[in-house]
Amino acid sequence: MYSRVKSAFFALCTAILLSHVGLSLPALAQAPDEPTIAFATSRGGGSLWLVDPDGDNARAVPNAPGASLGIEWSPDGRKIAYYAEVDGNIDVFVIDADGQNLQRMTEHLKADRWPTWHPNGQRMAFTSKRDGNLEIYVMDANGEGKQNITNHPDADYDPSWSPNGRKIAFYTSRDGNAEIYVMDTDGQNPTNLTNNDAEDIQPDWSPNGNKIVFASDRAGPDNIFVMDADGGKVDQITDVPTPDNEPAWSPDGKQIAFTAARDGTIDVWVMDADGDNAESLEGGGWNRNPSWFDPAFAGEFAVSPAGKHPSIWGKLKHQERVTFWR
């Protein structure tokens, strides 16, 4: 409590001092004041949109170039990270939730994808091919200090930071097929959580850190599964003949958003965490890569300011196959 009071007092004194010398503090980006899902869409040529969890109030985030994929909200909801192809390069971008202050976090001839925020908003993990094959990297939230933390000859994809900031889940082809692993945030102690002949992909931690949701073709076309965070008990929560993919927990842990083609169109769906009551948000065109923000569960840390191409329906399999999913 003392530290919070002290920080607030310091911020107030700083603002008063700056006002006396004719300066002002930079305005912080505003987070949504209601639960909001960010998603990728082909509407308007393909970019980044927001929608209420019931499908209402769909609107574009302006000034987000390229076909936005790999979307994730910052912990405080003020910013959104994504990757897109711009000027011939696939790079990671960050933009304010209102479409201001677009920042290019990576700029490399090799593709950088799938950004994920540390829970304190000060760091990011992402996937890059800049060392010759797909590896997991971390960097500061301003794009500096990039570091390869996997450095393995097989491909590592799609990191997801644990809610306590101590682990990163990802999937990898290092066992000959796609398996979900967790590792320490420095890349040490990689542990295989799934070990079967199926393709297990796209892990996402539950808000309490006890569960991991993922997509797998172990029961036919891709469906959504939930397992204990140690790889123990596994439950299949969707069972449909068309692919369900790209799962993302709601901040309260009660629902999961995902991408599906159940009605013949590629769309964002929302269901209860046990798979019940699945409903499509019914957008136009294709819609995918949902990421959920709720101000009631926003992170306490501000994000440091910086100084998941459409093709066919399917999923990424191993190093060189980039399909619609990715």
Side-chain angles (χ1 to χ4, degrees):
M1 176 64 72
Y2 173 75
S3 62
R4 292 185 180 180
V5 173
K6 183 178 179 181
S7 297
F9 177 75
F10 177 78
L12 177 61
C13 290
T14 302
I16 293 172
L17 176 62
L18 291 175
S19 67
H20 276 290
V21 296
L23 300 175
S24 62
L25 291 169
L28 291 175
Q30 294 298 307
D33 56 9
E34 297 289 342
T36 304
I37 293 174
F39 65 100
T41 183
S42 63
R43 290 180 247 186
S47 196
L48 177 62
W49 279 49
L50 307 179
V51 68
D52 296 346
D54 62 3
D56 290 342
N57 195 25
R59 67 273 191 194
V61 176
N63 308 315
S68 308
L69 292 171
I71 294 164
E72 185 169 298
W73 288 94
S74 65
D76 62 7
R78 292 172 177 162
K79 296 179 179 292
I80 301 170
Y82 66 97
Y83 72 85
E85 181 172 0
V86 177
D87 300 328
N89 290 347
I90 299 174
D91 286 306
V92 173
F93 294 81
V94 170
I95 194 168
D96 291 354
D98 62 1
Q100 302 301 307
N101 299 317
L102 176 69
Q103 299 159 3
R104 192 168 194 153
M105 312 305 293
T106 69
E107 189 166 6
H108 198 278
L109 294 177
K110 299 295 184 179
D112 299 321
R113 296 183 173 96
W114 305 308
T116 181
W117 298 87
H118 187 284
N120 69 8
Q122 305 302 306
R123 302 175 72 200
M124 301 177 73
F126 66 101
T127 301
S128 180
K129 207 173 182 181
R130 61 183 63 200
D131 286 338
N133 70 308
L134 288 168
E135 304 277 10
I136 308 297
Y137 283 69
V138 295
M139 63 179 170
D140 298 336
N142 62 3
E144 301 296 327
K146 297 177 180 69
Q147 179 184 2
N148 182 343
I149 62 170
T150 54
N151 197 23
H152 193 278
D154 292 310
D156 300 320
Y157 312 81
D158 207 357
S160 175
W161 226 303
S162 67
N164 64 10
R166 298 174 183 171
K167 299 284 184 180
I168 294 174
F170 63 104
Y171 72 96
T172 176
S173 64
R174 59 182 68 185
D175 292 318
N177 65 300
E179 302 281 7
I180 294 174
Y181 275 60
V182 296
M183 62 182 170
D184 298 341
T185 57
D186 61 1
Q188 299 300 305
N189 300 314
T191 302
N192 186 345
L193 298 187
T194 62
N195 191 7
N196 55 64
D197 294 333
E199 300 275 310
D200 299 322
I201 62 174
Q202 301 166 339
D204 188 57
W205 294 85
S206 65
N208 63 11
N210 294 334
K211 302 283 186 180
I212 293 175
V213 66
F214 64 100
S216 176
D217 64 1
R218 61 178 68 188
D222 281 352
N223 274 279
I224 308 299
F225 293 74
V226 174
M227 66 178 168
D228 293 344
D230 63 0
K233 185 174 181 288
V234 180
D235 293 316
Q236 182 176 353
I237 62 170
T238 71
D239 186 5
V240 293
T242 54
D244 290 341
N245 226 301
E246 300 177 335
W249 290 93
S250 64
D252 63 6
K254 295 180 179 180
Q255 293 179 289
I256 294 170
F258 62 103
T259 305
R262 300 184 182 190
D263 294 335
T265 59
I266 302 163
D267 208 354
V268 173
W269 288 58
V270 171
M271 63 182 169
D272 295 343
D274 61 3
D276 289 343
N277 300 314
E279 294 185 1
S280 170
L281 300 190
E282 297 180 348
W286 60 259
N287 305 281
R288 45 179 304 232
N289 273 150
S291 179
W292 209 314
F293 173 73
D294 187 336
F297 298 89
E300 295 183 0
F301 300 92
V303 176
S304 296
K308 276 161 175 188
H309 316 292
S311 55
I312 63 172
W313 176 259
K315 69 181 180 186
L316 182 65
K317 285 181 179 282
H318 306 309
Q319 300 179 27
E320 300 299 334
R321 182 180 168 201
V322 179
T323 70
F324 187 92
W325 285 117
R326 297 304 188 191

